[in-house]
Amino acid sequence: MTRDYYEVLGVARGCTQEEIKRSFRQLAMQHHPDRNPGSAEAEVRFREINEAYAVLSDPEKRGQYDTYGRVGGAPGFEGFAGAGFGEIFDMFFGGQGGRRPAGPRRGPDLRYRLDLEFREAVFGVEKEIEVPRHETCATCSGSGAAAGTAPIRCPECNGQGQVRRAMQSILGQVVNIVPCPRCRGEGEIVENPCAGCAGSGRTQSVRRLRVKVPAGVDDGDQIRLGGEGEAGAKGGGHGDLYVAVRVGGDPVLRRVERDIYYDLGVSFPQAALGDTIEVPTVDGVYQLEIPAGTQYGTKLRIAGHGVPHVRTGRRGDQVVIVHVITPTKLSAEEKRAFEALGGRTGLPAAAPKNLLDKLRDTLGI
């Protein structure tokens, strides 16, 4: 399940955009994989930080997150990419972070929104999805150059991917380091582009996958599929795919964590005398015993008919809330029957005793 975005960035909910930006910059530099080579924990933390910033830095998305605890979107595919170390510098320091590495780079992560029915989320399901993504070009193996050729070193930046621009200001000459406009920061130029990918090194495709959704997933949970994201530049490996689950509702049942709730209406005679009533559950119809003297609002539990825990498989309960229905119209016979039970005396009925009252009666207090 996705962690709270404010917690990820270490900021309070009422913080300013400047505080969000400052915290993101510090954390992104601290946990970037380039600064923590070989650390899987740093890589996961870095992706969390980027995802949290992508939402909280956008006022509209932040408003949705504050209201609903998540950010909605169009059904199906949603893409997002983690920033590279040089790109973080570009974001905050105007492009002075130096060139991007010329070799293979890991591809961005992707997100896919998967809509599930109520019972599919309870019991789990296997779904086939189609994810549009980029693949490494099979013709040029990601180099972008035609067969028999190779990219050449950019003559404008001499393969550095960046150039120095001097500007005159009131404080004197200021030198800015910016990405090379000719090679766009790559340090290389493809003179003879590959016909298969037009020199980009990647081609667009649709990846078909089967996703096993475990029993008990809830709205907002995510399933990570390693290596199923975008292909990286220069023949780099794929990023990851995050399948974000959205669970639909049920006409009569509602879910609260691992318990399922159902509102049951009963008549006065059923509540007073007791009855056996069929109630719906996710497992089918259940014969529920209504004890004699059941009061309005009584909660009856059907053990083990709730939602399984994602890891342990242990199921919650179904909670049936009893609502004693007062009839709005009575026949003459029904009126006589109610009159015989006591009718209108002008006196209040005795309220049901709570646990403390019962204890006092037992102790004779």
Side-chain angles (χ1 to χ4, degrees), residues 251-268:
V252 295
L253 304 175
R254 66 182 186 277
R255 174 177 176 176
V256 180
E257 296 181 349
R258 293 197 297 125
D259 288 337
I260 295 176
Y261 283 73
Y262 174 71
D263 294 295
L264 174 66
V266 300
S267 66
F268 278 153

Side-chain angles (χ1 to χ4, degrees), residues 34-118:
D34 288 352
R35 286 193 167 188
N36 302 272
S39 173
E41 182 180 352
E43 186 175 337
V44 172
R45 183 85 171 96
F46 184 71
R47 283 201 295 269
E48 284 184 337
I49 293 164
N50 274 276
E51 183 177 345
Y53 181 75
V55 172
L56 299 185
S57 64
D58 185 309
E60 182 178 348
K61 291 181 180 179
R62 183 180 179 183
Q64 292 182 32
Y65 182 75
D66 289 345
T67 303
Y68 304 108
R70 60 184 175 83
V71 178
F77 172 75
E78 302 171 9
F80 72 92
F85 190 59
E87 293 167 347
I88 293 175
F89 271 92
D90 292 346
M91 186 183 304
F92 295 112
F93 302 113
Q96 299 184 36
R99 61 166 294 186
R100 291 176 289 179
R105 298 192 296 274
R106 179 184 182 276
D109 295 334
L110 293 177
R111 176 178 293 166
Y112 184 96
R113 197 185 76 192
L114 180 63
D115 293 327
L116 298 178
E117 296 178 1
F118 188 85

Side-chain angles (χ1 to χ4, degrees), residues 230-255:
E230 293 272 29
K234 305 294 183 182
H238 286 264
D240 297 333
L241 173 65
Y242 289 85
V243 179
V245 174
R246 189 176 73 170
V247 181
D250 184 89
V252 295
L253 304 175
R254 66 182 186 277
R255 174 177 176 176

Side-chain angles (χ1 to χ4, degrees), residues 44-363:
V44 172
R45 183 85 171 96
F46 184 71
R47 283 201 295 269
E48 284 184 337
I49 293 164
N50 274 276
E51 183 177 345
Y53 181 75
V55 172
L56 299 185
S57 64
D58 185 309
E60 182 178 348
K61 291 181 180 179
R62 183 180 179 183
Q64 292 182 32
Y65 182 75
D66 289 345
T67 303
Y68 304 108
R70 60 184 175 83
V71 178
F77 172 75
E78 302 171 9
F80 72 92
F85 190 59
E87 293 167 347
I88 293 175
F89 271 92
D90 292 346
M91 186 183 304
F92 295 112
F93 302 113
Q96 299 184 36
R99 61 166 294 186
R100 291 176 289 179
R105 298 192 296 274
R106 179 184 182 276
D109 295 334
L110 293 177
R111 176 178 293 166
Y112 184 96
R113 197 185 76 192
L114 180 63
D115 293 327
L116 298 178
E117 296 178 1
F118 188 85
R119 282 168 172 77
E120 288 178 333
V122 173
F123 295 112
V125 69
E126 186 170 318
K127 291 276 190 177
E128 185 175 274
I129 63 175
E130 295 185 349
V131 182
R133 72 176 192 180
H134 286 96
E135 304 280 1
T136 299
C137 176
T139 304
C140 66
S141 301
S143 71
T149 67
I152 65 170
R153 177 180 294 182
C154 174
E156 184 162 340
C157 65
N158 196 31
Q160 295 300 306
Q162 59 188 22
V163 293
R164 304 168 73 89
R165 295 280 188 256
M167 298 178 60
Q168 203 66 31
S169 72
I170 59 174
L171 300 177
Q173 191 179 63
V174 177
V175 178
N176 287 329
I177 301 176
V178 297
C180 175
R182 184 167 182 181
C183 67
R184 298 181 180 179
E186 295 290 341
E188 297 177 335
I189 294 176
V190 177
E191 290 187 318
N192 300 300
C194 168
C197 62
S200 67
R202 300 189 302 174
T203 55
Q204 183 70 39
S205 69
V206 176
R207 175 76 164 166
R208 289 178 175 82
L209 299 167
R210 295 200 67 83
V211 181
K212 291 184 177 180
V213 181
V217 295
D218 204 354
D219 196 72
D221 286 355
Q222 289 190 137
I223 301 169
R224 175 181 170 272
L225 300 179
E228 294 295 350
E230 293 272 29
K234 305 294 183 182
H238 286 264
D240 297 333
L241 173 65
Y242 289 85
V243 179
V245 174
R246 189 176 73 170
V247 181
D250 184 89
V252 295
L253 304 175
R254 66 182 186 277
R255 174 177 176 176
V256 180
E257 296 181 349
R258 293 197 297 125
D259 288 337
I260 295 176
Y261 283 73
Y262 174 71
D263 294 295
L264 174 66
V266 300
S267 66
F268 278 153
Q270 286 175 312
L273 302 175
D275 200 355
T276 301
I277 301 177
E278 291 185 349
V279 297
T281 72
V282 290
D283 301 294
V285 174
Y286 183 87
Q287 299 289 332
L288 180 64
E289 294 290 333
I290 308 297
T294 296
Q295 301 298 310
Y296 184 95
T298 297
K299 294 180 179 179
L300 303 175
R301 284 189 174 268
I302 307 175
H305 283 263
V307 182
H309 190 283
V310 174
R311 294 183 178 85
T312 67
R314 184 176 179 181
R315 295 184 65 175
D317 301 334
Q318 175 157 322
V319 181
V320 178
I321 304 176
V322 178
H323 299 267
V324 182
I325 307 301
T326 302
T328 56
K329 293 183 179 180
L330 296 173
S331 65
E333 184 178 351
E334 288 171 333
K335 287 181 179 179
R336 287 192 295 270
F338 278 114
E339 291 289 350
L341 290 174
R344 290 166 287 197
T345 64
L347 299 174
K353 292 184 178 182
N354 57 34
L355 182 61
L356 183 58
D357 292 333
K358 294 177 181 178
L359 181 60
R360 285 172 175 167
D361 290 344
T362 302
L363 299 177

